[in-house]
Amino acid sequence: MALVTLTSRATAKAALQLIWVALARFFAPQFHTKFRPSVRPVVSVDHDLDKSIPFCPDLVDVYSRFISLWIKSTYFIYREFGRSTLPGIAIFINGLSNLYMESGRIYKTCQSTTVRPKYLKNMKFILIHAFDPHLHCVPSLHVLIVVYNYIMMTKLIEQYSDDTSEYSEQKHYMYSQAVAITESILLVKQHSVNCIPAALFAMSRLHPEFSRNDAAAFINQLFVDTDIEIELESEIKDFMLTQYQDFMDSCETKQQDYSEVLLEFLMDCREISAESD
């Protein structure tokens, strides 16, 4: 897929822009703060409910799948429907860039972190701790990207397919992967229960087709197909749904931009040192 992308002018431009935006809006500000801790506030978004979620380091492979998921998804569209899909794939990639840019609007004003274990028994965790200063928790780009992938892949299938019912299995796979990856960010302790409703809220405002009902269904699907016991599963889901609805209500009542709502939430959190891990 990389070769196909780079040999099409539209997709090559979109892909190179995505790489640049990810570096400039996600990675660079974190290292900027890490080496200059006073440059912007950093807050803790941990919640007491996080303590009830077990640490499952074996799920790091699932956690790391969020990039390969959208790459495989776009390749499926290309393989299934041909080169005529390249403009649609370019739009999809540009949408990913927009997620990084929109999230960056929040990160550049106030960064957020959680307590994560210093687990270095796995090469992927070593790379995570080396290259992810863990300062961009709200909103979670993991959640934004995997939900966006499902939404946009569904649209592309509808755009290029004569009979969308033939692709129910593929759509189910993309949705189930979005759920599994979202679960994994909690189970490998890279995010808090606060981060998921914040990301779903941002998705609903950026892509209104992802409705309140869609967000509720997504939250309710978490941990349904896993053997891992979550001690306070119902309380966690209730909290996330309430938090999501509160964000949505605040946005609509006050007629605020979603970023203003999330920044108000972050400013109410406890400020900490950016050097914490």
Side-chain angles (χ1 to χ4, degrees):
M1 187 63 201
L3 181 61
V4 173
T5 300
L6 294 175
T7 54
S8 164
R9 180 178 297 180
T11 52
K13 181 180 179 181
L16 292 173
Q17 180 184 11
L18 174 60
I19 293 170
W20 168 250
V21 170
L23 291 172
R25 299 296 182 95
F26 184 77
F27 289 103
Q30 292 189 83
F31 283 99
H32 186 203
T33 302
K34 185 175 179 66
F35 295 115
R36 291 186 59 194
S38 62
V39 71
R40 59 179 62 85
V42 178
V43 301
S44 168
V45 290
D46 284 304
H47 190 278
D48 285 343
L49 285 170
D50 295 323
K51 298 172 185 176
S52 69
I53 299 174
F55 176 52
C56 303
D58 291 345
L59 290 179
V60 70
D61 291 335
V62 178
Y63 168 81
S64 304
R65 204 182 290 161
F66 77 107
I67 293 177
S68 64
L69 176 64
W70 72 258
I71 292 174
K72 290 178 180 177
S73 297
T74 52
Y75 181 61
F76 164 75
I77 295 292
Y78 174 81
R79 188 187 68 229
E80 190 73 9
F81 303 110
R83 289 189 68 86
S84 64
T85 63
L86 288 174
I89 291 172
I91 291 171
F92 171 88
I93 297 173
N94 285 330
L96 287 174
S97 293
N98 188 58
L99 293 180
Y100 278 92
M101 288 189 288
E102 287 291 332
S103 299
R105 293 171 57 203
I106 296 170
Y107 302 151
K108 73 177 182 180
T109 303
C110 183
Q111 293 171 312
S112 49
T113 190
T114 64
V115 174
R116 63 177 179 179
K118 198 79 170 182
Y119 186 87
L120 301 174
K121 297 179 182 180
N122 177 300
M123 181 53 67
K124 287 189 176 179
F125 275 106
I126 292 173
L127 293 173
I128 288 169
H129 283 273
F131 295 105
D132 178 12
H134 193 51
L135 296 173
H136 288 169
C137 288
V138 170
S140 165
L141 270 164
H142 265 73
V143 177
L144 283 168
I145 288 171
V146 296
V147 173
Y148 171 82
N149 182 73
Y150 170 72
I151 292 171
M152 291 302 294
M153 285 300 115
T154 299
K155 285 185 176 181
L156 289 175
I157 288 172
E158 291 172 351
Q159 179 179 346
Y160 295 111
S161 170
D162 293 329
D163 184 2
T164 58
S165 65
E166 295 179 0
Y167 297 95
S168 57
E169 182 179 343
Q170 287 80 7
K171 288 190 284 186
H172 173 74
Y173 172 78
M174 287 181 282
Y175 188 85
S176 63
Q177 286 297 297
V179 170
I181 291 170
T182 300
E183 292 169 354
S184 76
I185 69 173
L186 294 173
L187 293 165
V188 299
K189 298 295 183 178
Q190 281 289 116
H191 279 283
S192 164
V193 296
N194 273 313
C195 306
I196 293 175
L200 295 179
F201 160 65
M203 180 56 62
S204 289
R205 301 307 295 180
L206 294 170
H207 293 272
E209 63 269 39
F210 186 71
S211 67
R212 287 180 184 249
N213 288 339
D214 292 329
F218 189 85
I219 289 169
N220 286 327
Q221 190 60 33
L222 295 172
F223 306 118
V224 169
D225 296 321
T226 180
D227 295 330
I228 298 169
E229 183 177 347
I230 308 299
E231 182 183 353
L232 300 176
E233 179 181 336
S234 61
E235 288 89 338
I236 290 169
K237 290 181 179 181
D238 287 345
F239 169 80
M240 289 194 288
L241 182 56
T242 299
Q243 185 80 305
Y244 167 85
Q245 299 287 13
D246 285 348
F247 286 145
M248 291 289 287
D249 290 344
S250 178
C251 194
E252 292 168 4
T253 301
K254 299 178 182 179
Q255 295 186 325
Q256 292 177 308
D257 183 79
Y258 84 95
S259 61
E260 295 176 293
V261 173
L262 290 183
L263 283 170
E264 282 185 2
F265 164 74
L266 290 173
M267 294 305 179
D268 286 339
C269 295
R270 179 175 60 90
E271 187 169 348
I272 60 174
S273 168
E275 298 177 6
S276 304
D277 188 21

